[in-house]
């Protein structure tokens, strides 16, 4: 799998978006790690404090390449079929990237209040091998 997505497995919005991405991608480009899996996070040098800044996308082939927050959402969009065109258009419109970043931050910081918190952590249909204590 070329990319690992670290998401909040307790956030209703985050889980819904991961489920939509799972349905669209079918595990071809992305595998998933809930930020509630400290052993998997440790393998990437990701801390719980890092996770507070939003979802993270890690290039499995080059784990030093990573995106976080709204940049991670854009990278996911860019990697999806025909998504590149939309992401580039979004980035090219003056002020839209800035507004999108602020919007992401507001949702991130208030996600449980707005969308609710799950009673158990969602485990993806396409987990990263790192979720099982071995990266691959």
């Amino acid at each position: 799998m070329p990319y690992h997505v670290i998401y909040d497995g307790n956030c209703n919005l985050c889980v819904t978006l991961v489920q939509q991405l799972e349905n669209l991608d079918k595990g071809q480009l992305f595998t998933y790690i809930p930020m509630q899996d400290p052993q998997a996070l440790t393998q990437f040098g990701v801390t719980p404090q890092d996770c507070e800044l939003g979802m993270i996308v890690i290039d499995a082939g080059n784990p030093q390449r990573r995106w976080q927050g709204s940049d991670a959402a854009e990278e996911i969009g860019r990697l999806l079929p025909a998504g590149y065109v939309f992401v580039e258009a979004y980035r090219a419109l003056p002020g839209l990237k800035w507004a999108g970043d602020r919007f992401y931050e507001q949702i991130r910081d208030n996600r449980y209040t707005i969308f609710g918190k799950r009673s158990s952590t969602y485990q993806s249909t396409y987990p990263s091998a790192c979720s099982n204590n071995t990266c691959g």
Side-chain angles (χ1 to χ4, degrees):
M1 296 300 144
Y3 298 91
H4 304 293
V5 176
I6 299 174
Y7 67 98
D8 185 343
N10 291 343
C11 165
N12 285 328
L13 173 65
C14 307
V15 168
T16 297
L17 294 174
V18 163
Q19 290 171 333
Q20 292 299 315
L21 191 53
E22 288 171 329
N23 288 333
L24 183 65
D25 179 55
K26 305 286 188 218
Q28 297 299 304
L29 282 174
F30 303 106
T31 61
Y32 306 89
I33 303 168
M35 59 179 63
Q36 290 78 15
D37 184 344
Q39 290 177 328
L41 299 180
T42 299
Q43 294 181 37
F44 292 106
V46 174
T47 67
Q49 293 77 22
D50 295 329
C51 293
E52 290 176 18
L53 299 176
M55 73 173 157
I56 302 169
V57 173
I58 299 174
D59 181 336
N62 181 3
Q64 299 308 319
R65 272 187 52 180
R66 49 184 74 190
W67 301 262
Q68 186 158 24
S70 60
D71 291 334
E74 290 171 26
E75 186 62 16
I76 290 170
R78 191 187 70 75
L79 292 165
L80 292 172
Y84 183 82
V85 172
F86 295 104
V87 172
E88 289 304 309
Y90 162 80
R91 289 178 177 165
L93 292 170
L96 196 53
K97 168 82 171 122
W98 180 88
D101 290 349
R102 302 299 81 72
F103 181 71
Y104 181 92
E105 291 167 3
Q106 288 300 309
I107 296 297
R108 175 198 67 202
D109 294 345
N110 298 289
R111 65 189 179 273
Y112 295 144
T113 302
I114 299 169
F115 299 100
K117 186 173 181 178
R118 297 173 57 87
S119 59
S120 62
T121 301
Y122 175 73
Q123 301 296 325
S124 172
T125 305
Y126 303 99
S128 168
C130 295
S131 294
N132 301 323
N133 272 338
T134 58
C135 283

